[in-house]
Amino acid sequence: MALTKKKRISLTVVLSIVVVILAIAVGGGIFALTLANKFDAYEKIDDPFPDEAGRPAKSDTGSQNILLLGSDTRGEIGDKELDNIKGDRSDSMMIVHIPGNREGIFVTSIMRDSWVPIPGRGSAKINAAMAYGGPKLAVQTVETLINARIDHVAVIDFDGFEGLTDALGGVTINNPIAFTATHGKQHFKQGEITLSGKDALSFVRERYSFKDGDYQRARNQQLYMKGVMNKLLSKDTLTNPGRVIESIDAISPFLKADSGMNAAYVAGLAPSLAGVRGEDVQFITAPTSGTGTSPDGQSIVRLDEVKMGQLATAFQTDKLADFFAANKK
């Protein structure tokens, strides 16, 4: 299946759908089988992981790390396979951590202009890893950054985003800053608002309206994702088979993931994650120390080396709950 004329998508919707399936798959029967078949319809990434030699070891606590990537294609991909894309940067990057004790889910956003070492390429913005070497190099770059293993990887385009939002009947958020989107001129008032699919795209993509640009965009993306989580994991959604299936139908054509991230994997996690709800999912942005200029004149985001070391240790020791509690703003 070729992916054509699609826009990049905020990636945590993948996890949202996975968790929905986890929460209801334990019920068994025809409905669970229908969900499994639909979920497994996504395209597979061929050879998405770096050579085993030199990779971090698997967690000894049973934790899982899922790397979510948005392909910055800005339009038509054509017949190129997503795992072979060259020249297309990942517009968003998140690490979803499922702890060994299954008490919550922790999502770490990495700002796309973060200046990091990219194996074999020297230092560059982290979103260049996808351009240089597809998902495989993106995985290797993130594993180098946090010194912890990535267990699964997914890439998504944005077209399914609009359909998912509308399938849920809109997503309600509490908007902290009133602004008018640069593209489309949609105005978003401060306070509680309900976003349709079209409005949601404008909301999560805007950066020019804010003094701190990408920083506020990252916060808005997380705010929206939290709204999606709350709606997907609400009683109204979980008890409505038609809405669940419609939501999966809306996103699965735009998802590509490693072959191991399948319905069997999801079903295996079900007993321990069935109780997860929106309030149990936490978001944070990888700590930064401000912006700067690279040696070749690019505008970049500098990561906070001390706190990034602490974050890496938290990933390695499966103690992200403690790091989030200490660094949540």
Side-chain angles (χ1 to χ4, degrees):
M1 177 180 64
L3 297 175
T4 59
K5 297 182 179 178
K6 297 169 186 164
K7 302 170 186 176
R8 57 202 186 281
I9 183 169
S10 168
L11 296 170
T12 304
V13 292
V14 178
L15 181 65
S16 304
I17 293 169
V18 169
V19 174
V20 169
I21 296 170
L22 293 175
I24 56 184
V26 291
I30 296 175
F31 185 38
L33 179 60
T34 299
L35 289 173
N37 290 337
K38 284 182 175 293
F39 185 73
D40 278 348
Y42 69 81
E43 279 198 273
K44 310 302 187 291
I45 302 175
D46 296 326
D47 192 26
F49 299 108
D51 293 339
E52 190 62 32
R55 291 190 71 194
K58 292 183 178 180
S59 169
D60 58 7
T61 69
S63 65
Q64 295 275 312
N65 293 315
I66 304 171
L67 180 62
L68 306 178
L69 300 168
S71 178
D72 189 14
T73 59
R74 301 187 186 276
E76 187 168 343
I77 294 177
D79 293 329
K80 291 188 296 181
E81 294 293 327
L82 279 177
D83 50 321
N84 291 324
I85 285 178
K86 297 294 186 292
D88 294 324
R89 294 178 177 239
S90 51
D91 186 59
S92 54
M93 181 177 291
M94 301 178 184
I95 311 168
V96 178
H97 180 79
I98 304 173
N101 62 15
R102 303 302 191 253
E103 295 180 0
I105 295 175
F106 302 90
V107 184
T108 302
S109 300
I110 305 176
M111 295 189 68
R112 64 179 189 169
D113 290 343
S114 298
W115 193 251
V116 301
I118 297 181
R121 294 284 185 165
S123 293
K125 295 179 181 181
I126 197 166
N127 69 342
M130 184 83 159
Y132 290 150
K136 179 182 289 189
L137 186 56
V139 168
Q140 188 177 11
T141 299
V142 172
E143 287 187 339
T144 300
L145 185 65
I146 64 173
N147 197 24
R149 191 181 188 91
I150 296 299
D151 300 285
H152 295 286
V153 58
V155 183
I156 309 181
D157 285 332
F158 246 156
D159 264 4
F161 189 44
E162 186 171 335
L164 173 62
T165 306
D166 290 334
L168 290 171
V171 172
T172 300
I173 62 169
N174 190 4
N175 182 28
I177 302 174
F179 68 93
T180 299
T182 304
H183 300 289
K185 304 302 180 183
Q186 173 69 26
H187 181 72
F188 299 96
K189 69 178 183 179
Q190 185 177 15
E192 186 174 289
I193 56 176
T194 298
L195 302 171
S196 67
K198 183 178 180 180
D199 293 341
L201 286 174
S202 295
F203 183 83
V204 301
R205 296 174 70 182
E206 182 61 29
R207 59 172 171 158
Y208 297 108
S209 297
F210 312 119
K211 291 181 179 179
D212 55 358
D214 275 335
Y215 284 89
Q216 184 59 44
R217 177 164 73 167
R219 289 190 287 269
N220 282 352
Q221 288 179 347
Q222 292 175 358
L223 181 65
Y224 173 76
M225 294 169 205
K226 188 72 171 180
V228 170
M229 289 283 196
N230 287 334
K231 195 65 176 283
L232 274 168
L233 300 177
S234 69
K235 182 179 179 180
D236 288 344
T237 299
L238 293 179
T239 57
N240 185 336
R243 175 165 284 182
V244 174
I245 290 175
E246 186 179 356
S247 299
I248 295 173
D249 281 342
I251 196 69
S252 60
F254 306 94
L255 165 68
K256 190 164 188 179
D258 68 273
S259 59
M261 193 174 169
N262 53 26
Y265 165 73
V266 168
L269 287 174
S272 59
L273 279 181
V276 170
R277 293 296 179 265
E279 61 269 21
D280 302 316
V281 183
Q282 299 185 46
F283 296 84
I284 203 169
T285 300
T288 68
S289 58
T291 58
T293 304
S294 68
D296 60 354
Q298 299 180 68
S299 177
I300 61 173
V301 171
R302 300 191 186 281
L303 295 176
D304 185 317
E305 293 185 6
V306 173
K307 287 191 174 182
M308 281 301 300
Q310 296 170 355
L311 177 62
T313 299
F315 270 106
Q316 295 154 25
T317 58
D318 196 12
K319 294 186 181 298
L320 274 185
D322 294 340
F323 182 86
F324 273 51
N327 292 277
K328 192 72 173 178
K329 295 181 179 179

